[in-house]
PDB file of all heavy atoms in Angstrom:
ATOM      1  N   SER A1492      -3.983 -12.725  -1.273  1.00 93.00           N
ATOM      2  CA  SER A1492      -4.429 -13.904  -1.943  1.00 93.00           C
ATOM      3  C   SER A1492      -4.196 -13.787  -3.451  1.00 93.00           C
ATOM      4  O   SER A1492      -3.892 -12.703  -3.934  1.00 93.00           O
ATOM      5  CB  SER A1492      -5.936 -14.134  -1.714  1.00 93.00           C
ATOM      6  OG  SER A1492      -6.679 -13.116  -2.317  1.00 93.00           O
ATOM      7  N   GLY A1493      -4.269 -14.849  -4.159  1.00 77.00           N
ATOM      8  CA  GLY A1493      -4.102 -14.827  -5.564  1.00 77.00           C
ATOM      9  C   GLY A1493      -2.706 -15.023  -5.998  1.00 77.00           C
ATOM     10  O   GLY A1493      -1.734 -14.954  -5.223  1.00 77.00           O
ATOM     11  N   ARG A1494      -2.567 -15.270  -7.330  1.00 72.00           N
ATOM     12  CA  ARG A1494      -1.248 -15.639  -7.886  1.00 72.00           C
ATOM     13  C   ARG A1494      -0.481 -14.401  -8.490  1.00 72.00           C
ATOM     14  O   ARG A1494       0.574 -14.603  -8.982  1.00 72.00           O
ATOM     15  CB  ARG A1494      -1.399 -16.737  -8.869  1.00 72.00           C
ATOM     16  CG  ARG A1494      -1.954 -17.986  -8.335  1.00 72.00           C
ATOM     17  CD  ARG A1494      -2.114 -19.058  -9.450  1.00 72.00           C
ATOM     18  NE  ARG A1494      -3.182 -18.635 -10.381  1.00 72.00           N
ATOM     19  CZ  ARG A1494      -3.447 -19.339 -11.459  1.00 72.00           C
ATOM     20  NH1 ARG A1494      -2.762 -20.349 -11.829  1.00 72.00           N
ATOM     21  NH2 ARG A1494      -4.397 -18.924 -12.280  1.00 72.00           N
ATOM     22  N   THR A1495      -1.124 -13.247  -8.451  1.00 83.00           N
ATOM     23  CA  THR A1495      -0.601 -12.122  -9.182  1.00 83.00           C
ATOM     24  C   THR A1495       0.047 -11.078  -8.232  1.00 83.00           C
ATOM     25  O   THR A1495       0.286 -10.000  -8.722  1.00 83.00           O
ATOM     26  CB  THR A1495      -1.646 -11.496 -10.050  1.00 83.00           C
ATOM     27  OG1 THR A1495      -2.784 -11.072  -9.258  1.00 83.00           O
ATOM     28  CG2 THR A1495      -2.152 -12.421 -11.140  1.00 83.00           C
ATOM     29  N   PHE A1496       0.220 -11.416  -6.972  1.00 86.00           N
ATOM     30  CA  PHE A1496       0.791 -10.445  -6.048  1.00 86.00           C
ATOM     31  C   PHE A1496       2.047  -9.831  -6.548  1.00 86.00           C
ATOM     32  O   PHE A1496       2.343  -8.621  -6.405  1.00 86.00           O
ATOM     33  CB  PHE A1496       1.028 -11.079  -4.679  1.00 86.00           C
ATOM     34  CG  PHE A1496       1.659 -10.240  -3.701  1.00 86.00           C
ATOM     35  CD1 PHE A1496       0.971  -9.238  -3.037  1.00 86.00           C
ATOM     36  CD2 PHE A1496       3.046 -10.437  -3.353  1.00 86.00           C
ATOM     37  CE1 PHE A1496       1.575  -8.395  -2.122  1.00 86.00           C
ATOM     38  CE2 PHE A1496       3.641  -9.571  -2.414  1.00 86.00           C
ATOM     39  CZ  PHE A1496       2.959  -8.567  -1.778  1.00 86.00           C
ATOM     40  N   GLY A1497       2.845 -10.608  -7.199  1.00 85.00           N
ATOM     41  CA  GLY A1497       4.161 -10.195  -7.695  1.00 85.00           C
ATOM     42  C   GLY A1497       4.077  -9.181  -8.764  1.00 85.00           C
ATOM     43  O   GLY A1497       5.067  -8.522  -9.181  1.00 85.00           O
ATOM     44  N   ASN A1498       2.857  -8.974  -9.338  1.00 87.00           N
ATOM     45  CA  ASN A1498       2.653  -7.973 -10.344  1.00 87.00           C
ATOM     46  C   ASN A1498       2.129  -6.607  -9.860  1.00 87.00           C
ATOM     47  O   ASN A1498       1.842  -5.763 -10.630  1.00 87.00           O
ATOM     48  CB  ASN A1498       1.662  -8.513 -11.402  1.00 87.00           C
ATOM     49  CG  ASN A1498       2.180  -9.717 -12.154  1.00 87.00           C
ATOM     50  OD1 ASN A1498       3.407  -9.918 -12.266  1.00 87.00           O
ATOM     51  ND2 ASN A1498       1.295 -10.565 -12.660  1.00 87.00           N
ATOM     52  N   TYR A1499       1.911  -6.598  -8.514  1.00 91.00           N
ATOM     53  CA  TYR A1499       1.277  -5.379  -7.941  1.00 91.00           C
ATOM     54  C   TYR A1499       2.276  -4.459  -7.269  1.00 91.00           C
ATOM     55  O   TYR A1499       3.120  -4.930  -6.461  1.00 91.00           O
ATOM     56  CB  TYR A1499       0.240  -5.864  -6.932  1.00 91.00           C
ATOM     57  CG  TYR A1499      -1.042  -6.393  -7.539  1.00 91.00           C
ATOM     58  CD1 TYR A1499      -1.048  -7.622  -8.173  1.00 91.00           C
ATOM     59  CD2 TYR A1499      -2.236  -5.696  -7.502  1.00 91.00           C
ATOM     60  CE1 TYR A1499      -2.201  -8.107  -8.788  1.00 91.00           C
ATOM     61  CE2 TYR A1499      -3.362  -6.155  -8.095  1.00 91.00           C
ATOM     62  CZ  TYR A1499      -3.351  -7.385  -8.698  1.00 91.00           C
ATOM     63  OH  TYR A1499      -4.448  -7.852  -9.278  1.00 91.00           O
ATOM     64  N   ASN A1500       2.123  -3.223  -7.506  1.00 94.00           N
ATOM     65  CA  ASN A1500       2.770  -2.252  -6.646  1.00 94.00           C
ATOM     66  C   ASN A1500       1.962  -2.145  -5.367  1.00 94.00           C
ATOM     67  O   ASN A1500       0.683  -2.182  -5.406  1.00 94.00           O
ATOM     68  CB  ASN A1500       2.769  -0.879  -7.310  1.00 94.00           C
ATOM     69  CG  ASN A1500       3.704  -0.812  -8.488  1.00 94.00           C
ATOM     70  OD1 ASN A1500       4.535  -1.714  -8.690  1.00 94.00           O
ATOM     71  ND2 ASN A1500       3.584   0.249  -9.302  1.00 94.00           N
ATOM     72  N   MET A1501       2.629  -1.965  -4.249  1.00 96.00           N
ATOM     73  CA  MET A1501       1.953  -2.107  -2.926  1.00 96.00           C
ATOM     74  C   MET A1501       2.283  -0.876  -2.110  1.00 96.00           C
ATOM     75  O   MET A1501       3.336  -0.204  -2.272  1.00 96.00           O
ATOM     76  CB  MET A1501       2.342  -3.350  -2.177  1.00 96.00           C
ATOM     77  CG  MET A1501       1.987  -4.648  -2.911  1.00 96.00           C
ATOM     78  SD  MET A1501       0.248  -4.961  -3.056  1.00 96.00           S
ATOM     79  CE  MET A1501      -0.294  -5.104  -1.447  1.00 96.00           C
ATOM     80  N   ALA A1502       1.436  -0.606  -1.071  1.00 97.00           N
ATOM     81  CA  ALA A1502       1.654   0.495  -0.260  1.00 97.00           C
ATOM     82  C   ALA A1502       1.043   0.329   1.110  1.00 97.00           C
ATOM     83  O   ALA A1502       0.155  -0.534   1.241  1.00 97.00           O
ATOM     84  CB  ALA A1502       1.108   1.819  -0.853  1.00 97.00           C
ATOM     85  N   TRP A1503       1.460   1.119   2.054  1.00 98.00           N
ATOM     86  CA  TRP A1503       0.850   1.245   3.373  1.00 98.00           C
ATOM     87  C   TRP A1503       0.283   2.694   3.517  1.00 98.00           C
ATOM     88  O   TRP A1503       1.039   3.686   3.235  1.00 98.00           O
ATOM     89  CB  TRP A1503       1.822   0.948   4.469  1.00 98.00           C
ATOM     90  CG  TRP A1503       2.221  -0.445   4.621  1.00 98.00           C
ATOM     91  CD1 TRP A1503       3.348  -1.069   4.101  1.00 98.00           C
ATOM     92  CD2 TRP A1503       1.534  -1.530   5.236  1.00 98.00           C
ATOM     93  NE1 TRP A1503       3.399  -2.416   4.405  1.00 98.00           N
ATOM     94  CE2 TRP A1503       2.242  -2.673   5.110  1.00 98.00           C
ATOM     95  CE3 TRP A1503       0.309  -1.525   6.025  1.00 98.00           C
ATOM     96  CZ2 TRP A1503       1.868  -3.921   5.706  1.00 98.00           C
ATOM     97  CZ3 TRP A1503      -0.122  -2.732   6.548  1.00 98.00           C
ATOM     98  CH2 TRP A1503       0.630  -3.907   6.393  1.00 98.00           C
ATOM     99  N   PHE A1504      -0.887   2.761   4.029  1.00 98.00           N
ATOM    100  CA  PHE A1504      -1.485   4.067   4.439  1.00 98.00           C
ATOM    101  C   PHE A1504      -1.947   3.947   5.867  1.00 98.00           C
ATOM    102  O   PHE A1504      -2.017   2.821   6.399  1.00 98.00           O
ATOM    103  CB  PHE A1504      -2.744   4.396   3.512  1.00 98.00           C
ATOM    104  CG  PHE A1504      -2.397   4.786   2.139  1.00 98.00           C
ATOM    105  CD1 PHE A1504      -1.980   3.854   1.174  1.00 98.00           C
ATOM    106  CD2 PHE A1504      -2.476   6.102   1.771  1.00 98.00           C
ATOM    107  CE1 PHE A1504      -1.681   4.273  -0.111  1.00 98.00           C
ATOM    108  CE2 PHE A1504      -2.181   6.528   0.488  1.00 98.00           C
ATOM    109  CZ  PHE A1504      -1.775   5.580  -0.431  1.00 98.00           C
ATOM    110  N   ARG A1505      -2.244   5.052   6.461  1.00 98.00           N
ATOM    111  CA  ARG A1505      -2.736   4.995   7.864  1.00 98.00           C
ATOM    112  C   ARG A1505      -3.803   6.093   8.049  1.00 98.00           C
ATOM    113  O   ARG A1505      -3.791   7.176   7.345  1.00 98.00           O
ATOM    114  CB  ARG A1505      -1.677   5.117   8.864  1.00 98.00           C
ATOM    115  CG  ARG A1505      -0.970   6.514   8.894  1.00 98.00           C
ATOM    116  CD  ARG A1505       0.242   6.500   9.835  1.00 98.00           C
ATOM    117  NE  ARG A1505       0.866   7.823  10.000  1.00 98.00           N
ATOM    118  CZ  ARG A1505       1.966   8.031  10.608  1.00 98.00           C
ATOM    119  NH1 ARG A1505       2.612   7.033  11.263  1.00 98.00           N
ATOM    120  NH2 ARG A1505       2.471   9.287  10.680  1.00 98.00           N
ATOM    121  N   GLN A1506      -4.681   5.878   9.013  1.00 98.00           N
ATOM    122  CA  GLN A1506      -5.664   6.850   9.341  1.00 98.00           C
ATOM    123  C   GLN A1506      -5.819   6.985  10.873  1.00 98.00           C
ATOM    124  O   GLN A1506      -6.143   5.971  11.568  1.00 98.00           O
ATOM    125  CB  GLN A1506      -7.041   6.473   8.730  1.00 98.00           C
ATOM    126  CG  GLN A1506      -8.064   7.523   8.957  1.00 98.00           C
ATOM    127  CD  GLN A1506      -9.274   7.311   8.057  1.00 98.00           C
ATOM    128  OE1 GLN A1506      -9.594   6.214   7.646  1.00 98.00           O
ATOM    129  NE2 GLN A1506     -10.045   8.406   7.844  1.00 98.00           N
ATOM    130  N   ALA A1507      -5.463   8.119  11.358  1.00 97.00           N
ATOM    131  CA  ALA A1507      -5.544   8.395  12.783  1.00 97.00           C
ATOM    132  C   ALA A1507      -6.957   8.917  13.085  1.00 97.00           C
ATOM    133  O   ALA A1507      -7.658   9.419  12.223  1.00 97.00           O
ATOM    134  CB  ALA A1507      -4.516   9.425  13.164  1.00 97.00           C
ATOM    135  N   PRO A1508      -7.382   8.812  14.314  1.00 93.00           N
ATOM    136  CA  PRO A1508      -8.737   9.240  14.694  1.00 93.00           C
ATOM    137  C   PRO A1508      -8.946  10.725  14.342  1.00 93.00           C
ATOM    138  O   PRO A1508      -8.089  11.567  14.645  1.00 93.00           O
ATOM    139  CB  PRO A1508      -8.742   8.997  16.197  1.00 93.00           C
ATOM    140  CG  PRO A1508      -7.764   7.947  16.455  1.00 93.00           C
ATOM    141  CD  PRO A1508      -6.632   8.205  15.469  1.00 93.00           C
ATOM    142  N   GLY A1509     -10.065  10.922  13.706  1.00 95.00           N
ATOM    143  CA  GLY A1509     -10.385  12.315  13.297  1.00 95.00           C
ATOM    144  C   GLY A1509      -9.607  12.932  12.180  1.00 95.00           C
ATOM    145  O   GLY A1509      -9.752  14.120  11.852  1.00 95.00           O
ATOM    146  N   LYS A1510      -8.767  12.110  11.531  1.00 97.00           N
ATOM    147  CA  LYS A1510      -7.927  12.622  10.444  1.00 97.00           C
ATOM    148  C   LYS A1510      -8.219  11.854   9.136  1.00 97.00           C
ATOM    149  O   LYS A1510      -8.741  10.732   9.185  1.00 97.00           O
ATOM    150  CB  LYS A1510      -6.406  12.546  10.816  1.00 97.00           C
ATOM    151  CG  LYS A1510      -6.038  13.455  11.966  1.00 97.00           C
ATOM    152  CD  LYS A1510      -4.529  13.456  12.235  1.00 97.00           C
ATOM    153  CE  LYS A1510      -4.182  14.373  13.331  1.00 97.00           C
ATOM    154  NZ  LYS A1510      -2.678  14.429  13.528  1.00 97.00           N
ATOM    155  N   GLU A1511      -7.718  12.447   8.048  1.00 97.00           N
ATOM    156  CA  GLU A1511      -7.812  11.678   6.750  1.00 97.00           C
ATOM    157  C   GLU A1511      -6.759  10.628   6.643  1.00 97.00           C
ATOM    158  O   GLU A1511      -5.710  10.714   7.317  1.00 97.00           O
ATOM    159  CB  GLU A1511      -7.705  12.709   5.592  1.00 97.00           C
ATOM    160  CG  GLU A1511      -8.865  13.667   5.528  1.00 97.00           C
ATOM    161  CD  GLU A1511      -8.781  14.623   4.361  1.00 97.00           C
ATOM    162  OE1 GLU A1511      -7.721  14.513   3.625  1.00 97.00           O
ATOM    163  OE2 GLU A1511      -9.772  15.310   4.060  1.00 97.00           O
ATOM    164  N   ARG A1512      -7.079   9.702   5.797  1.00 98.00           N
ATOM    165  CA  ARG A1512      -6.050   8.662   5.575  1.00 98.00           C
ATOM    166  C   ARG A1512      -4.852   9.238   4.899  1.00 98.00           C
ATOM    167  O   ARG A1512      -5.003  10.097   3.941  1.00 98.00           O
ATOM    168  CB  ARG A1512      -6.686   7.464   4.730  1.00 98.00           C
ATOM    169  CG  ARG A1512      -5.839   6.288   4.675  1.00 98.00           C
ATOM    170  CD  ARG A1512      -6.588   5.023   4.364  1.00 98.00           C
ATOM    171  NE  ARG A1512      -7.446   5.133   3.192  1.00 98.00           N
ATOM    172  CZ  ARG A1512      -8.346   4.189   2.790  1.00 98.00           C
ATOM    173  NH1 ARG A1512      -8.452   3.055   3.578  1.00 98.00           N
ATOM    174  NH2 ARG A1512      -9.014   4.382   1.735  1.00 98.00           N
ATOM    175  N   GLU A1513      -3.660   8.793   5.247  1.00 98.00           N
ATOM    176  CA  GLU A1513      -2.472   9.395   4.703  1.00 98.00           C
ATOM    177  C   GLU A1513      -1.467   8.291   4.283  1.00 98.00           C
ATOM    178  O   GLU A1513      -1.468   7.227   4.800  1.00 98.00           O
ATOM    179  CB  GLU A1513      -1.771  10.319   5.727  1.00 98.00           C
ATOM    180  CG  GLU A1513      -1.247   9.665   6.944  1.00 98.00           C
ATOM    181  CD  GLU A1513      -0.508  10.608   7.884  1.00 98.00           C
ATOM    182  OE1 GLU A1513      -0.499  11.814   7.672  1.00 98.00           O
ATOM    183  OE2 GLU A1513       0.119  10.088   8.822  1.00 98.00           O
ATOM    184  N   PHE A1514      -0.701   8.663   3.344  1.00 98.00           N
ATOM    185  CA  PHE A1514       0.373   7.751   2.779  1.00 98.00           C
ATOM    186  C   PHE A1514       1.439   7.513   3.784  1.00 98.00           C
ATOM    187  O   PHE A1514       1.872   8.477   4.519  1.00 98.00           O
ATOM    188  CB  PHE A1514       0.891   8.349   1.476  1.00 98.00           C
ATOM    189  CG  PHE A1514       2.122   7.695   0.931  1.00 98.00           C
ATOM    190  CD1 PHE A1514       2.014   6.446   0.288  1.00 98.00           C
ATOM    191  CD2 PHE A1514       3.381   8.280   1.035  1.00 98.00           C
ATOM    192  CE1 PHE A1514       3.159   5.816  -0.247  1.00 98.00           C
ATOM    193  CE2 PHE A1514       4.462   7.653   0.555  1.00 98.00           C
ATOM    194  CZ  PHE A1514       4.342   6.425  -0.113  1.00 98.00           C
ATOM    195  N   VAL A1515       1.999   6.274   3.862  1.00 98.00           N
ATOM    196  CA  VAL A1515       3.085   5.954   4.715  1.00 98.00           C
ATOM    197  C   VAL A1515       4.338   5.553   3.885  1.00 98.00           C
ATOM    198  O   VAL A1515       5.382   6.077   4.023  1.00 98.00           O
ATOM    199  CB  VAL A1515       2.747   4.881   5.738  1.00 98.00           C
ATOM    200  CG1 VAL A1515       3.945   4.480   6.523  1.00 98.00           C
ATOM    201  CG2 VAL A1515       1.598   5.296   6.646  1.00 98.00           C
ATOM    202  N   ALA A1516       4.099   4.508   3.041  1.00 98.00           N
ATOM    203  CA  ALA A1516       5.251   3.993   2.245  1.00 98.00           C
ATOM    204  C   ALA A1516       4.704   3.151   1.096  1.00 98.00           C
ATOM    205  O   ALA A1516       3.528   2.698   1.145  1.00 98.00           O
ATOM    206  CB  ALA A1516       6.161   3.082   3.156  1.00 98.00           C
ATOM    207  N   ALA A1517       5.517   3.000   0.028  1.00 97.00           N
ATOM    208  CA  ALA A1517       5.129   2.276  -1.084  1.00 97.00           C
ATOM    209  C   ALA A1517       6.324   1.490  -1.638  1.00 97.00           C
ATOM    210  O   ALA A1517       7.490   1.888  -1.404  1.00 97.00           O
ATOM    211  CB  ALA A1517       4.566   3.131  -2.198  1.00 97.00           C
ATOM    212  N   ILE A1518       6.026   0.413  -2.335  1.00 96.00           N
ATOM    213  CA  ILE A1518       7.118  -0.445  -2.981  1.00 96.00           C
ATOM    214  C   ILE A1518       6.578  -0.929  -4.264  1.00 96.00           C
ATOM    215  O   ILE A1518       5.418  -1.314  -4.449  1.00 96.00           O
ATOM    216  CB  ILE A1518       7.507  -1.520  -2.007  1.00 96.00           C
ATOM    217  CG1 ILE A1518       8.711  -2.326  -2.506  1.00 96.00           C
ATOM    218  CG2 ILE A1518       6.323  -2.508  -1.775  1.00 96.00           C
ATOM    219  CD1 ILE A1518       9.358  -3.274  -1.514  1.00 96.00           C
ATOM    220  N   THR A1519       7.464  -0.957  -5.275  1.00 93.00           N
ATOM    221  CA  THR A1519       7.068  -1.401  -6.576  1.00 93.00           C
ATOM    222  C   THR A1519       7.037  -2.953  -6.629  1.00 93.00           C
ATOM    223  O   THR A1519       7.474  -3.635  -5.675  1.00 93.00           O
ATOM    224  CB  THR A1519       8.044  -0.895  -7.699  1.00 93.00           C
ATOM    225  OG1 THR A1519       9.395  -1.156  -7.254  1.00 93.00           O
ATOM    226  CG2 THR A1519       7.845   0.605  -7.865  1.00 93.00           C
ATOM    227  N   TRP A1520       6.531  -3.438  -7.695  1.00 89.00           N
ATOM    228  CA  TRP A1520       6.233  -4.887  -7.776  1.00 89.00           C
ATOM    229  C   TRP A1520       7.449  -5.740  -7.508  1.00 89.00           C
ATOM    230  O   TRP A1520       7.359  -6.779  -6.882  1.00 89.00           O
ATOM    231  CB  TRP A1520       5.620  -5.207  -9.167  1.00 89.00           C
ATOM    232  CG  TRP A1520       6.605  -4.956 -10.289  1.00 89.00           C
ATOM    233  CD1 TRP A1520       6.771  -3.767 -10.958  1.00 89.00           C
ATOM    234  CD2 TRP A1520       7.482  -5.904 -10.905  1.00 89.00           C
ATOM    235  NE1 TRP A1520       7.770  -3.953 -11.904  1.00 89.00           N
ATOM    236  CE2 TRP A1520       8.208  -5.197 -11.897  1.00 89.00           C
ATOM    237  CE3 TRP A1520       7.714  -7.273 -10.660  1.00 89.00           C
ATOM    238  CZ2 TRP A1520       9.134  -5.858 -12.734  1.00 89.00           C
ATOM    239  CZ3 TRP A1520       8.678  -7.903 -11.485  1.00 89.00           C
ATOM    240  CH2 TRP A1520       9.302  -7.154 -12.469  1.00 89.00           C
ATOM    241  N   GLY A1521       8.603  -5.318  -7.990  1.00 87.00           N
ATOM    242  CA  GLY A1521       9.817  -6.119  -7.838  1.00 87.00           C
ATOM    243  C   GLY A1521      10.662  -5.644  -6.601  1.00 87.00           C
ATOM    244  O   GLY A1521      11.743  -6.217  -6.343  1.00 87.00           O
ATOM    245  N   GLY A1522      10.233  -4.615  -5.926  1.00 87.00           N
ATOM    246  CA  GLY A1522      10.966  -4.142  -4.796  1.00 87.00           C
ATOM    247  C   GLY A1522      12.079  -3.149  -5.156  1.00 87.00           C
ATOM    248  O   GLY A1522      12.804  -2.725  -4.267  1.00 87.00           O
TER     249      GLY A1522
END
């Protein structure tokens, strides 16, 4: 939501059962 998504660096993380959340992938604001 919001009008500033294009200014945000974004990422995906994941958390498996019984494990800590871990990094998957990231992308900068402009890709």
